[in-house]
Amino acid sequence: MNRRSPGGRLAALAAVAAALAGCASDAGEDRTAPAVSAPSSGTAGRTRDSGGASADSGGASARTPEGALLVTDFGADTVTFVDPAARGAAADLGSVRVGTAPYGIALGDDGTAWAATAEGVAAVDTRTRERTALIPYRTDTGPVTTGEYRGGGMGIALSPDGSRVYVGVNVPGGKGTLEVVDTRRREVTRVVPVGRRPFDVDVSRDGRHVYATNHDSFDVSVVDTGDWTARRIEVAPYGTEGGLGSWLKPHYTAVRPSDGALLLPFEGERLAVVDPGTGRVRIEEMTANTHQHGVTAGADGTLYVVGTGPIDPSEDDGPSLTVRRPDGDERVIPLDGPHETVALSADGRTAYVSGGFTRDGYWNGLSVVDVGTGGVTRLPVGERPLAVVVLGGGEPGGA
């Protein structure tokens, strides 16, 4: 492990900050994502339009296998169904158009998937493979665009009873909001101010609190679902020096099953353990030494953390998946190329890591990781796949 001090870490980053843009800052960033292309040969003729009409009458009637995945295509306007047991073109089970640049996704017990797009929250019936609603935001996010800094929905989560969807809405150049969607009425019923660029949204197990992880304001907003007040907890184990230009900001959060603590990984060096009630932040050591993004927790408390790759290649390690046991013991599984988020199979034996990545350097596919052996299979699928849910079972929070 690289045990650099905060000052030393910041000094090392200063040399590369001028050459690297991205996750760091709005300033000077090329906000144009790759052009949305037509479906690949694996999805051609099987993409369903935003009204649910099928381009192939066989698309909706095809059986979706148990344990199939649904991924958001951040580089397109679709979500794609994936059979992780298949290989090649057979893994692609078809796509559904949901709205521009879908980011996070959440799955309800009734089989409805909710995707946060630049245009609104899309509801997808995963049995018929049709979009059944597109719910516009109340927050003014400006023109609909694509790319890392686009406005609109980012993190998304469901209340434990499935009655509400919570979506973090990015407002380019300003603070974001948490919008509350009534899943029965399919409309936004409340808007709560939160921090800047809410990458992730999570919910306490009792449903009394919602947590928005705000990348560009170094904090987590704790929203009380009783009175809809919000508290700010700063989570900045390296400090906030550099502001929007800093790389050392929070990305995603996992809620620890045992006690409800919030777990936020940083740089493969530090794990921030946050008590959402008191706001106390405790730091534990990590070992991957890589820029970390996505995280999810298994039912037994094991943590799975995605390393996207080095900030400074001369000092930092490459992409990886960290498997961290509740006692803090870590195993680091190398990955090929940048990745963004992770979801688990229902039995916890397989991790699905998306290759979409919010920055340049992404690839169109998933890494399927055998957690027991550390074996990795790359599965080309989707258009910059970013978030993943497992249909018919799987750990929540994998998006």
Side-chain angles (χ1 to χ4, degrees):
M1 176 178 179
N2 187 353
R3 302 175 186 272
R4 284 167 281 181
S5 67
R9 177 69 166 168
L10 291 169
L13 296 179
V16 295
L20 297 174
C23 152
S25 168
D26 292 280
E29 172 69 12
D30 179 1
R31 304 188 186 187
T32 303
V36 175
S37 61
S40 64
S41 59
T43 59
R46 295 190 294 143
T47 300
R48 302 173 67 78
D49 68 25
S50 58
S54 176
D56 181 339
S57 61
S61 61
R63 179 180 177 275
T64 302
E66 187 79 4
L69 313 176
L70 188 59
V71 303
T72 57
D73 293 317
F74 190 58
D77 60 356
T78 55
V79 292
T80 294
F81 291 82
V82 179
D83 181 358
R87 292 295 176 262
D92 191 324
L93 301 177
S95 301
V96 177
R97 291 193 176 99
V98 291
T100 302
Y103 195 98
I105 191 168
L107 180 66
D109 290 339
D110 64 354
T112 301
W114 304 86
T117 82
E119 302 174 54
V121 176
V124 175
D125 187 321
T126 61
R127 294 159 298 190
T128 63
R129 302 190 201 170
E130 294 179 307
R131 193 190 79 182
T132 57
L134 181 62
I135 303 158
Y137 303 117
R138 284 190 186 177
T139 304
D140 182 6
T141 62
V144 173
T145 60
T146 61
E148 182 181 358
Y149 294 98
R150 66 119 175 96
M154 298 188 74
I156 191 168
L158 275 161
S159 62
D161 64 4
S163 66
R164 296 170 178 156
V165 170
Y166 303 107
V167 57
V169 179
N170 179 42
V171 178
K175 291 186 177 181
T177 63
L178 182 79
E179 297 211 359
V180 183
V181 176
D182 184 301
T183 58
R184 182 181 60 83
R185 292 157 53 189
R186 299 200 166 188
E187 65 180 27
V188 175
T189 59
R190 191 172 297 272
V191 179
V192 180
V194 294
R196 296 175 67 106
R197 274 219 292 168
F199 254 59
D200 196 16
V201 172
D202 298 273
V203 183
S204 63
R205 288 184 175 260
D206 61 10
R208 296 176 59 185
H209 295 95
V210 181
Y211 311 116
T213 303
N214 308 304
H215 179 267
D216 284 359
S217 48
F218 297 89
D219 59 26
V220 172
S221 297
V222 179
V223 178
D224 188 311
T225 60
D227 60 13
W228 301 109
T229 57
R231 292 182 289 111
R232 176 182 184 267
I233 301 176
E234 182 175 284
V235 187
Y238 293 93
T240 61
E241 183 178 341
L244 288 177
S246 173
W247 286 76
L248 307 176
K249 295 180 282 191
H251 293 85
Y252 297 87
T253 295
V255 180
R256 187 159 61 190
S258 60
D259 61 1
L262 309 183
L263 307 175
L264 293 85
F266 288 79
E267 305 307 312
E269 295 180 336
R270 302 178 185 188
L271 180 69
V273 182
V274 180
D275 182 330
T278 65
R280 179 174 177 265
V281 181
R282 180 170 53 83
I283 304 300
E284 298 179 1
E285 292 185 353
M286 297 189 73
T287 61
N289 190 32
T290 188
H291 189 56
Q292 289 177 319
H293 276 208
V295 59
T296 195
D300 65 352
T302 298
L303 204 62
Y304 302 81
V305 187
V306 181
T308 69
I311 294 176
D312 183 350
S314 69
E315 295 195 22
D316 304 325
D317 294 333
S320 62
L321 178 68
T322 292
V323 181
R324 180 184 177 93
R325 297 191 321 200
D327 63 4
D329 180 70
E330 290 189 349
R331 182 162 53 100
V332 178
I333 301 171
L335 298 175
D336 183 7
H339 292 69
E340 183 70 19
T341 68
V342 58
L344 296 178
S345 61
D347 59 13
R349 295 178 180 177
T350 308
Y352 306 107
V353 192
S354 66
F357 195 34
T358 53
R359 287 185 36 74
D360 292 338
Y362 62 87
W363 63 285
N364 294 332
L366 306 173
S367 284
V368 181
V369 181
D370 185 312
V371 174
T373 67
V376 180
T377 302
R378 284 167 65 92
L379 189 62
V381 70
E383 296 282 343
R384 198 174 183 175
L386 202 66
V388 184
V389 290
V390 182
L391 306 179
E395 294 298 330

